[in-house]
């Protein structure tokens, strides 16, 4: 590793290499590039709708026409990919809107592939936005409480992923955290002729308070209980390695750690232990905190955003999912 003979050679002066921007750039170990960015988008029905999310300034629920504009702005700034979340018109206890051929995400994918064929379209595969109760799986209620049923949920998730691939999704991204869902999705994709569609699994997804603003954006807050019986406990790093190992065994092509900034240790371990393409999701709460502090004039939005993303890259993330993707791409281009 980086052992420097400072003992025998006391003249090492680190500041020598910090004297000018060009010198600093020359020895920079980590680089941010627009090609690493993914922009999440929230899509809904209607026309000319840009419904603002209170806690996420600059983020909107978009009708398909507005989604195309937003995606096109991102793409022309250098962002190669979007991640789609759907807000359906109706929810039920079977998440029918999640896998309907005419579902909101399926429509959005077709539209994007038609209008921006070069843009990579990644779809979030989950049920919470489509379930009347807001949980990520099928719920069984009894007098003592509610249980999220694992295996019965797998079929719906697999069907949902296949319907996204059928619509033209380039990558499917399961975020539900049911056990065995990557295997179930891989099998269903292979069976339905999509053996070449990659899976980016939310492999180490923690039960996090940082998701608060997203649940307003996606209208997916659970109506009762919480997600702690399926998402991970923030205390656990070894368990995160087991989750990632399992998803890789089951066929994940890209693994994700989420949230990002408070979980840099997990990102680093995942990258060094598995060497797989690794994504970091800078979630809604991370974005909101920066926006709120910046709006008060307390921090420099651009500098803090770039420094945070650089930290994720330094930890080992190859792919950065961020609501600030378009701004970041423009900043990196010097705009
Ligand atoms: C759906 C899902 C969530 C996020 C991504 N996919 C919310 C949750 O698990 O409650 C969070 C994204 C964010 O906070 O930006 N399961």
């Amino acid at each position: 590793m980086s052992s420097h003979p400072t003992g025998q050679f006391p003249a090492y002066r680190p500041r020598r290499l910090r004297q000018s921007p060009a010198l600093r750039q020359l020895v920079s170990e980590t680089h941010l590039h627009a090609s690493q960015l993914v922009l999440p988008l929230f899509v809904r029905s209607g026309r000319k709708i840009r419904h603002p999310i209170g806690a996420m300034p600059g983020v909107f629920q978009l009708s398909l026409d507005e989604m195309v504009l937003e995606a096109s702005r991102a793409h022309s700034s250098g962002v190669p990919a979007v991640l789609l979340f759907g807000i359906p018109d109706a929810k039920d206890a079977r998440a029918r809107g999640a896998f309907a051929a005419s579902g909101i995400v399926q429509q959005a994918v077709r539209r994007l592939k038609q209008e921006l064929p070069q843009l990579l379209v990644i779809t979030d595969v989950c049920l919470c936005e489509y379930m009347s109760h807001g949980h990520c799986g099928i719920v069984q209620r009894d007098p003592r409480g509610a249980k999220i049923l694992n295996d019965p949920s797998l079929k719906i998730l697999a069907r949902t992923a296949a319907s996204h691939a059928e619509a033209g999704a380039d990558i499917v991204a399961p975020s539900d955290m049911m056990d065995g869902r990557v295997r179930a999705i891989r099998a269903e994709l292979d069976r339905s002729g999509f053996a070449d569609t990659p899976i980016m699994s939310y492999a180490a997804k923690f039960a996090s308070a940082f998701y608060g603003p997203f649940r307003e954006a996606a209208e997916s807050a659970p109506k009762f209980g919480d997600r702690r019986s399926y998402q991970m406990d923030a205390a656990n790093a070894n368990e995160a390695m087991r989750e990632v190992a399992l998803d890789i065994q089951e066929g994940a092509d890209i693994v994700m750690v989420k949230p990002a900034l408070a979980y840099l240790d997990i990102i680093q371990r995942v990258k060094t232990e598995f060497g797989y393409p690794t994504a970091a999701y800078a979630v809604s709460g991370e974005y909101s905190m920066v926006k709120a502090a910046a709006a008060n004039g307390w921090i420099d939005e651009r500098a803090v955003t770039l420094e945070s993303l650089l930290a994720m890259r330094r930890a080992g993330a190859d792919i950065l999912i961020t609501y600030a993707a378009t701004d970041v791409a423009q900043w990196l281009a010097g705009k």
Side-chain angles (χ1 to χ4, degrees), residues 29 53 101 192:
E29 299 172 29
I53 311 306
S192 34

Side-chain angles (χ1 to χ4, degrees), residues 42 56 85 124 126-129 136 175-176 202 205 210-215 220 222 227 231 258 281-285 323:
F42 299 100
M56 301 176 75
F85 293 93
D124 184 87
C126 199
L127 307 181
C128 55
E129 296 103 318
C136 304
S175 71
D176 53 284
Y202 289 66
K205 177 175 177 179
F210 287 100
Y211 305 155
F214 171 95
R215 294 181 187 166
S220 66
R227 305 209 198 288
Q231 297 180 351
K258 176 183 173 198
Y281 195 146
V283 301
S284 54
Y323 299 97

Side-chain angles (χ1 to χ4, degrees), residues 277-291:
T278 302
Y281 195 146
V283 301
S284 54
E286 303 181 49
Y287 177 84
S288 301
M289 290 195 301
V290 174
K291 283 287 183 185

Side-chain angles (χ1 to χ4, degrees), residues 76-334:
S76 59
S77 308
V79 176
V82 295
L83 171 61
L84 297 182
F85 293 93
I87 298 125
D89 289 333
K91 302 177 193 258
D92 58 37
R94 293 261 137 192
R96 271 183 272 267
F99 52 82
S102 60
I104 185 66
V105 165
Q106 291 79 357
Q107 288 183 49
V109 173
R110 286 194 291 267
R111 189 76 180 263
L112 284 175
K113 291 317 291 182
Q114 201 167 41
E115 309 218 11
L116 299 166
Q118 306 302 321
L119 176 74
L120 285 172
V121 178
I122 310 173
T123 55
D124 184 87
V125 175
C126 199
L127 307 181
C128 55
E129 296 103 318
Y130 306 90
M131 289 287 203
S132 37
H133 46 63
H135 278 288
C136 304
I138 292 175
V139 167
Q140 186 177 60
R141 298 198 76 162
D142 64 37
R144 281 169 302 131
K147 208 173 153 182
I148 316 301
L149 301 181
N150 195 86
D151 294 4
S153 303
L154 299 181
K155 253 192 224 105
I156 311 184
L157 289 161
R159 209 171 149 188
T160 299
S163 75
H164 292 175
E166 179 76 50
D170 295 292
I171 302 176
V172 294
S175 71
D176 53 284
M177 290 298 280
M178 296 300 121
D179 291 338
R181 91 276 205 214
V182 173
R183 186 189 307 281
I185 289 172
R186 184 71 271 157
E188 183 67 24
L189 289 174
D190 292 356
R191 200 175 317 129
S192 34
F194 300 106
D196 289 332
T197 302
I199 298 175
M200 173 167 81
S201 77
Y202 289 66
K205 177 175 177 179
F206 291 86
S208 172
F210 287 100
Y211 305 155
F214 171 95
R215 294 181 187 166
E216 175 198 342
E219 300 180 9
S220 66
K223 295 273 181 322
F224 50 84
D226 56 38
R227 305 209 198 288
R228 293 180 185 278
S229 77
Y230 42 106
Q231 297 180 351
M232 290 190 55
D233 185 331
N236 297 354
N238 291 326
E239 187 190 356
M241 298 309 111
R242 297 197 294 275
E243 277 280 10
V244 172
L246 202 54
D247 280 13
I248 288 173
Q249 276 167 27
E250 292 182 19
D253 301 281
I254 300 172
V255 289
M256 192 199 299
V257 175
K258 176 183 173 198
L261 205 50
Y263 296 82
L264 294 179
D265 57 323
I266 309 290
I267 296 173
Q268 182 167 41
R269 281 186 63 178
V270 167
K271 188 63 195 183
T272 51
E273 288 190 26
F274 300 98
Y276 259 60
T278 302
Y281 195 146
V283 301
S284 54
E286 303 181 49
Y287 177 84
S288 301
M289 290 195 301
V290 174
K291 283 287 183 185
N296 275 294
W298 295 337
I299 58 167
D300 176 336
E301 176 179 355
R302 174 178 166 154
V304 167
T305 302
L306 292 175
E307 184 178 332
S308 304
L309 293 171
L310 193 67
M312 294 163 208
R313 291 273 302 131
R314 199 183 60 236
D318 305 292
I319 300 167
L320 305 168
I321 305 171
T322 168
Y323 299 97
T326 305
D327 284 343
V328 170
Q330 292 179 356
W331 295 334
L332 293 173

